[in-house]
Amino acid sequence: MESKNCSNCKNFRLHYIKYSRGGYRKLDYGHCVKPRLKKRYANEKACSYWEEKQV
């Protein structure tokens, strides 16, 4: 099992940048949707609402 951090939580939404040529690049941050929107970094330690992301 991986460590519990935001990047592998089902409540975490990663942010992306869209390039003018149509490509996308992942950013190092996003937001958590449970229980309300919170800014989070992908490698940040998980909160008490962490749930394993199903791949």
Side-chain angles (χ1 to χ4, degrees):
M1 182 176 150
E2 297 179 32
S3 62
K4 290 184 177 182
N5 59 27
C6 290
S7 65
N8 57 22
C9 178
K10 86 174 205 179
N11 300 310
F12 180 72
R13 305 297 186 264
L14 190 62
H15 291 182
Y16 293 83
I17 289 179
K18 182 178 179 183
Y19 292 111
S20 59
R21 294 183 177 166
Y24 288 90
R25 186 183 77 141
K26 292 180 183 179
L27 297 176
D28 192 33
Y29 67 93
H31 66 273
C32 180
V33 296
K34 190 170 183 178
R36 56 179 169 62
L37 290 177
K38 302 177 292 276
K39 292 181 183 177
R40 297 279 189 223
Y41 284 95
N43 60 356
E44 195 170 323
K45 185 179 175 186
C47 66
S48 60
Y49 297 105
W50 184 88
E51 295 179 45
E52 187 173 1
K53 184 187 292 186
Q54 300 298 319
V55 202

